[in-house]
Amino acid sequence: MRDRDAVPRDLGPPEVFSDRRGSSAERKRCGLDVPEGQTGRRSRTVTSRLRMSCAGWRRVPTAEEFHDAVHRPAGTERESSILLTWFHEAEMSEQLDARLEEAYTWRQLVRALHRVGLTRGAGAQRINRFARG
């Protein structure tokens, strides 16, 4: 017997995720106080997660590199590694805060993850919770 309320472990297609961008008004409604200089390409949450998860890397990735991996992919191994780190290590609250900080829309993130083949397991299951409908 299957649990009808279970969240799938295969990442849904990009089309089932919202393409709505975060905004300062939405951050305010959610109680997330972030200076404008720490949003978008300089997301405070993305910076923090990458610093924690990639401390042993020769060169710790930046929020700008993550942003480019999502929005302007070059198809490099480093880019895939940055997305892999986010996929496996970002907690649900960090994923939500990064969206609120305008690092990505859910659809943009999911499209990037599909592009590099990150579509199964607990990381996919966490992100699937944000699918529409």
Side-chain angles (χ1 to χ4, degrees):
M1 176 175 251
R2 292 182 51 157
D3 179 355
R4 66 179 179 82
D5 294 324
V7 176
R9 292 180 61 82
D10 290 335
L11 188 60
E15 300 76 37
V16 302
F17 292 86
S18 171
D19 207 27
R20 186 172 53 98
R21 295 180 52 85
S23 67
S24 59
E26 187 178 13
R27 286 191 296 279
K28 186 175 182 178
R29 279 194 314 276
C30 293
L32 185 61
D33 185 25
V34 180
E36 288 300 319
Q38 294 179 4
T39 61
R41 291 181 54 78
R42 294 179 190 90
S43 166
R44 174 175 73 182
T45 299
V46 172
T47 296
S48 176
R49 169 45 58 198
L50 292 176
R51 284 181 180 167
M52 287 187 291
S53 294
C54 303
W57 291 30
R58 190 171 297 148
R59 186 170 51 92
V60 174
T62 65
E64 289 91 345
E65 286 180 284
F66 172 84
H67 193 272
D68 287 347
V70 172
H71 299 279
R72 286 184 287 287
T76 65
E77 186 176 320
R78 180 172 173 87
E79 179 180 274
S80 294
S81 296
I82 292 168
L83 291 171
L84 178 73
T85 299
W86 186 260
F87 181 74
H88 285 295
E89 299 198 22
E91 297 176 13
M92 191 178 298
S93 61
E94 291 171 316
Q95 292 173 353
L96 180 58
D97 286 352
R99 199 226 34 108
L100 289 170
E101 292 171 7
E102 304 172 60
Y104 51 71
T105 68
W106 293 119
R107 186 172 299 163
Q108 290 167 337
L109 176 63
V110 170
R111 187 175 293 125
L113 295 173
H114 273 281
R115 188 180 64 248
V116 296
L118 295 169
T119 60
R120 301 197 105 143
Q125 196 170 31
R126 278 192 302 275
I127 294 168
N128 278 338
R129 294 184 188 283
F130 298 106
R132 295 182 295 181

